[in-house]
Amino acid sequence: MRNTRPAPSRPCPALLRPALALALAVGLAAPAVALELPFGRDAAPAAAPAPRPVVTEIVAPNDSAAGRSVPGVITAATEVQMAFQTLGRMIARPVDVGDRVDAGQVLARLDPEDLAGNTRAAEASLAAAQVNLTTARNTAERARSLSERNVASAAQLEQAEQALSAARSAVDQAQARLESARDAEGYAVMTAPISGVVSAVRATPGAVVAAGDPILTLSSEDELEATIDLTEAQLQGIERGTECLIFRDDQAEEPVRGHVSRISPVADRQTRTRRVYITLPPGSSFRLGSLVRVRRADDSAAALTIPAEALVAEPPGGVAVWIVRRTGPDAATVMRRPVTIGARIGARIEVTDGLAPGDEVVIRGVHSLAEGQQVGRKVEP
């Protein structure tokens, strides 16, 4: 039998394409709408930045004696560099650093054997010269006698007289060498020209030293002075006669008053400082080599100082600091303030204008701040 069931109908491909495109567009757009709603409807506000922590210091006047002082050392106004006047090998040095010696006391000795040999050689040379002088004198006398009898010529007499003069000169030269050798033999012993303290030693026994080589330094205790090194800024107002106070770090005693005696005209090449010499009064209790502090006697005003790292550059050519302004118990901002600085006191800088006691200054992290920036409380005593 013939199957009379009609064949199933197929949808037309041209009619399905628009429907599929619409379904895909709706399916892709729906997630986008779902993801977009939470951000557009309930977006949270951005969190405020936390205050930047800084280290600060409360400015206070520094009225301590050491606050405006500079370190120094006690030295002798009179120092003698002791040396031998002849070449030789040093065999003894009975003194050492710190020993007190009297004028005329033996300080060092050279080996006398070589010097004694030179003296003996000079004596032998003098004896030979004297023999030659005797021979020349006898020859000259014979030549004169023969010349008077017209036996010897005038040339022979002149030659004998010249030999006599040369022999006399040789004797004088040998005599001078002998005196020099005897003096050198006496130079083998070094004695102290003044009373004082041996402050330095530069040669030890056994060394061969030349004439003029420093052996030790002898410092007189009759007149002491304090020496300090100051920059050009610190030298402002200091001249000869300026009164200064000299004291130890512990300040157990009253400061000693001294006066500036001289200022070195040439600055040191490395430190660019000039040395200042302050004469101490007689009978002071300081010893040679003692470390002291010195400040001007009329410098009684208290100084405002801050750490050197608290300074920032302020165009053109100035400096400034960051001042903390408190706006609440836990809220503060920073403000840039130009200042005028003075002398450097150790690791701190004196501020002569721009700050007042009680100002709070940022001393760390100064190069990463901005005007009006919020900072946290972190005060360093």
Side-chain angles (χ1 to χ4, degrees):
M1 292 180 58
R2 179 180 297 178
N3 186 4
T4 60
R5 181 181 297 175
S9 61
R10 298 181 178 179
C12 178
L15 297 178
L16 292 177
R17 290 174 184 170
L20 290 173
L22 180 60
L24 289 173
V26 173
L28 293 174
V33 174
L35 293 173
E36 192 176 326
L37 287 177
F39 292 92
R41 182 177 56 194
D42 298 327
R52 186 184 185 283
V54 293
V55 178
T56 64
E57 178 179 298
I58 304 298
V59 178
N62 186 359
D63 56 357
S64 64
R68 296 173 65 85
S69 62
V70 294
V73 64
I74 300 298
T75 59
T78 302
E79 288 187 347
V80 181
Q81 298 292 335
M82 301 299 300
F84 287 106
Q85 295 180 250
T86 185
L87 173 68
R89 182 174 63 87
M90 188 168 61
I91 60 174
R93 197 201 65 218
V95 296
D96 208 339
V97 176
D99 292 345
R100 283 186 170 88
V101 298
D102 298 326
Q105 182 175 339
V106 176
L107 302 179
R109 295 178 184 272
L110 292 179
D111 189 354
E113 290 300 325
D114 294 337
L115 300 177
N118 294 335
T119 301
R120 290 192 294 269
E123 290 174 348
S125 297
L126 177 59
Q130 288 175 343
V131 171
N132 292 334
L133 175 61
T134 301
T135 302
R137 185 181 294 113
N138 295 334
T139 302
E141 290 177 356
R142 287 194 299 270
R144 293 191 197 99
S145 176
L146 294 175
S147 178
E148 290 174 355
R149 290 181 294 173
N150 294 326
V151 176
S153 64
Q156 290 175 337
L157 178 60
E158 183 179 357
Q159 185 177 4
E161 293 290 347
Q162 289 177 352
L164 179 59
S165 299
R168 288 172 178 169
S169 299
V171 169
D172 294 340
Q173 187 175 10
Q175 184 68 39
R177 288 200 187 103
L178 177 59
E179 293 177 358
S180 177
R182 287 174 177 171
D183 290 341
E185 193 172 359
Y187 295 152
V189 180
M190 178 190 294
T191 58
I194 59 174
S195 299
V197 177
V198 179
S199 56
V201 171
R202 295 178 175 83
T204 58
V208 176
V209 296
D213 286 349
I215 303 301
L216 54 85
T217 301
L218 187 60
S219 302
S220 174
E221 293 183 301
D222 295 338
E223 185 178 354
L224 301 180
E225 57 187 10
T227 58
I228 57 177
D229 297 323
L230 300 180
T231 62
E232 293 297 331
Q234 293 173 317
L235 280 171
Q236 297 297 324
I238 296 180
E239 56 186 10
R240 291 187 60 181
T242 300
E243 188 176 21
C244 299
L245 299 180
I246 302 96
F247 53 92
R248 296 184 178 88
D249 285 335
D250 54 11
Q251 302 182 29
E253 302 174 356
E254 288 294 327
V256 175
R257 292 182 177 269
H259 295 82
V260 176
S261 59
R262 62 191 187 278
I263 301 174
S264 177
V266 180
D268 185 85
R269 290 186 176 181
Q270 296 180 348
T271 62
R272 306 310 303 168
T273 58
R274 290 198 286 165
R275 179 149 294 184
V276 179
Y277 300 86
I278 304 166
T279 302
L280 301 181
S284 61
S285 59
F286 296 112
R287 296 192 60 181
L288 284 173
S290 299
L291 300 179
V292 295
R293 300 197 70 88
V294 181
R295 67 182 178 93
R296 293 176 57 178
D298 58 355
D299 194 4
S300 58
L304 295 179
T305 62
I306 59 175
E309 58 268 21
L311 298 174
V312 293
E314 177 72 11
V319 292
V321 296
W322 290 104
I323 301 295
V324 177
R325 296 182 300 178
R326 297 292 173 184
T327 58
D330 297 321
T333 59
V334 291
M335 175 184 67
R336 192 185 186 97
R337 180 186 296 177
V339 294
T340 303
I341 61 175
R344 187 182 186 98
I345 306 174
R348 302 179 70 85
I349 299 293
E350 179 184 3
V351 179
T352 58
D353 189 24
L355 288 181
D359 288 341
E360 187 175 350
V361 179
V362 179
I363 63 174
R364 294 184 186 174
V366 296
H367 298 290
S368 58
L369 296 176
E371 186 72 24
Q373 182 177 357
Q374 290 189 353
V375 295
R377 177 184 290 274
K378 189 177 181 182
V379 180
E380 184 174 272

